[in-house]
Amino acid sequence: MTRKKAAVIVFVLLLLMAGGGIVSGEDTASNVIRDIRFSEAESFTRIVVECESEISYTRNFIQFPDRLYFDFENTDPATFFQKEILVDDDTVSTIRIGKQDSGVSRVVIGLKSYSDFNIYSLEDPHRLVIDINKGTSSIEEFMPKGRVVVIDPGHGGRDPGAIGRRGIQEKDIVLDIAKQLKKILETKYAVKVFLTRDDDRYLELKERTDFANRHNADLFVSVHINASRDRDTKGIETWFLNIPSSEYDKKVAARENAISEEKMKESQTEVGFILTSLGRELKKEESIRLAHYVQNSLINNMRKKYKRRIDDHGVKYTLFYVLVGADMPAVLIESGFISNPSEELLLKKSTYRKDIAHSIAKGINSYLSTLPDLPKLARR
Ligand SMILES: [Zn+2]
């Protein structure tokens, strides 16, 4: 058996031409794509994207024509800005590299005939290896078979969210709940889940829903922990987006939006206009239904295990900015009060957080099962 092998090391050539300098965009990103090379083996084509430091990426697939593309966060392409590499073997036509406005470098792989993909990261040096297996196109295998849900762990990085007396922080608690929720939804309910963050990083509110819109998610679920001046207040509530009616609703929203209540009142007219003018009624109805499924599941399941200690604050609405940009039904869950001593103790426990995750997953699945079946191949 012969193995054809062709490797293109553009970086080295361009580096020589540039006299050793690295050309990058105006904004300096923290990572740099140093090299993209490909080689053809008997049963697959391998593409290797080599970076200067640890790689953080998302992958996507688009049709007509079929392309697989990878967004490398906060990354500059070294020297091949908007360059195209011609591959033209049995599986791959071209590899294109471009810089997006958001600081993301996008690598687009044009596909010809293929069966599936193996994608993995390696270190030393940091690189992403993409193996495209030869065969007849079968998009269905790669496309998500079921629903897509984006889970958004609130806060992160320099924004800790609410902080408990024992020093636990909302951003850490909700990240753990979100990770467990992803695992349960994917393994138990076959729902594809994307997390807006899977580590301790700061995200703007708009980035969170932009992420969900980009992933064409069916649902957006933001997970939070509540806090109150009244240390006796405890329990669970689920919110959807609307103009707030009570002072309490405004308080919760102002805290999660990280702006003053005064400023919130000012912006209400503007957002109220958006909410009513864009024909969002259907989405609102679905958000309300989703909120009820999630809240009921949380209360029923948590009470089974923790008895009357779980207070039910029901489904509410207010002006959460994190929900404004979502193109899909969206809810925000306040899964307990960090300001309440007994609930803070519970939230500190991994098993309690797992029970919360299980209850949310069950609620999401119940809601999803009321929706009509997905048309095949029509997702993206
Ligand atoms: Zn929060």
Side-chain angles (χ1 to χ4, degrees):
M1 300 290 169
T2 57
R3 278 166 78 97
K4 272 192 286 172
K5 190 167 185 188
V8 173
I9 306 177
V10 179
F11 174 70
V12 173
L13 291 174
L14 289 175
L15 194 67
L16 288 171
M17 280 154 57
I22 287 177
V23 183
S24 68
E26 277 172 26
D27 302 313
T28 314
S30 63
N31 204 355
V32 175
I33 297 178
R34 291 204 302 208
D35 182 24
I36 296 183
R37 53 186 176 267
F38 68 89
S39 56
E40 190 187 5
E42 194 185 6
S43 61
F44 61 88
T45 296
R46 170 166 295 172
I47 294 164
V48 179
V49 181
E50 194 180 304
C51 287
E52 209 151 86
S53 51
E54 203 180 332
I55 297 169
S56 172
Y57 74 95
T58 55
R59 70 164 195 207
N60 288 283
F61 184 84
I62 27 177
Q63 287 178 268
F64 315 116
D66 292 356
R67 282 152 293 164
L68 189 58
Y69 71 86
F70 296 81
D71 282 345
F72 294 82
E73 280 175 32
N74 201 17
T75 301
D76 280 325
T79 33
F80 12 51
F81 185 57
Q82 285 185 337
K83 285 274 160 62
E84 189 163 323
I85 300 169
L86 184 68
V87 180
D88 201 26
D89 61 15
D90 291 338
T91 31
V92 175
S93 54
T94 56
I95 306 166
R96 283 184 293 116
I97 307 102
K99 179 89 190 273
Q100 309 290 113
D101 290 340
S102 49
V104 159
S105 278
R106 178 167 293 180
V107 174
V108 185
I109 300 165
L111 298 166
K112 289 157 97 177
S113 171
Y114 58 94
S115 58
D116 56 5
F117 317 97
N118 296 321
I119 298 158
Y120 47 98
S121 304
L122 295 171
E123 283 179 21
D124 198 21
H126 294 283
R127 57 206 193 277
L128 185 69
V129 179
I130 305 145
D131 286 345
I132 298 156
N133 295 317
K134 293 183 181 177
T136 318
S137 304
S138 65
I139 298 155
E140 269 170 288
E141 276 180 37
F142 179 72
M143 301 289 272
K145 284 195 176 70
R147 301 283 178 177
V148 176
V149 174
V150 164
I151 305 291
D152 171 46
H155 313 276
R158 61 182 148 94
D159 170 18
I163 300 175
R165 285 232 171 152
R166 290 178 178 84
I168 61 167
Q169 302 190 339
E170 178 182 355
K171 65 172 183 178
D172 300 322
I173 304 287
V174 295
L175 179 60
D176 183 63
I177 293 175
K179 282 181 175 175
Q180 302 212 45
L181 181 52
K182 174 179 163 73
K183 203 170 158 193
I184 297 160
L185 279 170
E186 291 192 332
T187 55
K188 199 171 171 190
Y189 300 110
V191 172
K192 179 68 200 154
V193 175
F194 296 101
L195 298 177
T196 53
R197 64 178 181 97
D198 62 2
D199 55 14
D200 183 21
R201 72 176 64 202
Y202 178 80
L203 290 174
E204 297 288 342
L205 296 179
K206 193 178 173 297
E207 286 182 85
R208 299 169 189 264
T209 41
D210 282 354
F211 177 87
N213 296 341
R214 248 193 353 258
H215 283 84
N216 202 13
D218 294 292
L219 304 177
F220 178 79
V221 178
S222 195
V223 182
H224 290 252
I225 302 292
N226 223 331
S228 167
R229 283 225 179 94
D230 175 11
R231 307 233 302 142
D232 290 335
T233 306
K234 59 188 179 65
I236 298 169
E237 55 203 31
T238 305
W239 299 79
F240 64 93
L241 176 71
N242 209 345
I243 300 300
S245 52
S246 78
E247 285 307 311
Y248 171 78
D249 297 350
K250 280 174 201 158
K251 270 200 175 63
V252 174
R255 191 169 55 72
E256 297 295 12
N257 294 335
I259 59 166
S260 68
E261 286 171 56
E262 213 36 57
K263 207 170 166 209
M264 248 200 68
K265 277 173 200 157
E266 280 172 29
S267 53
Q268 265 178 43
T269 347
E270 195 186 328
V271 179
F273 177 72
I274 297 171
L275 292 183
T276 50
S277 65
L278 295 183
R280 290 174 163 231
E281 279 309 303
L282 180 65
K283 202 186 82 184
K284 193 171 95 186
E285 289 308 310
E286 288 304 306
S287 298
I288 296 170
R289 284 206 318 122
L290 170 63
H292 279 283
Y293 272 103
V294 169
Q295 178 70 13
N296 290 344
S297 175
L298 270 164
I299 297 304
N300 294 338
N301 287 289
M302 295 306 281
R303 275 188 181 163
K304 260 182 217 161
K305 202 162 171 185
Y306 300 91
K307 306 281 182 296
R308 287 278 131 197
R309 288 156 80 188
I310 309 298
D311 287 355
D312 181 5
H313 296 293
V315 168
K316 300 171 165 187
Y317 61 86
T318 192
L319 187 57
F320 282 126
Y321 288 144
V322 70
L323 303 181
V324 171
D327 288 344
M328 64 292 300
V331 296
L332 186 148
I333 303 163
E334 295 279 6
S335 30
F337 279 79
I338 210 169
S339 47
N340 176 268
S342 64
E343 221 155 56
E344 186 188 5
L345 268 181
L346 287 172
L347 288 165
K348 268 183 86 170
K349 291 192 178 120
S350 166
T351 48
Y352 187 82
R353 298 194 295 267
K354 195 172 187 174
D355 290 333
I356 291 272
H358 266 288
S359 309
I360 297 173
K362 217 171 161 183
I364 289 174
N365 185 60
S366 301
Y367 168 80
L368 288 175
S369 61
T370 66
L371 300 178
D373 284 343
L374 284 175
K376 273 190 179 169
L377 293 182
R379 275 209 54 82
R380 275 157 208 265

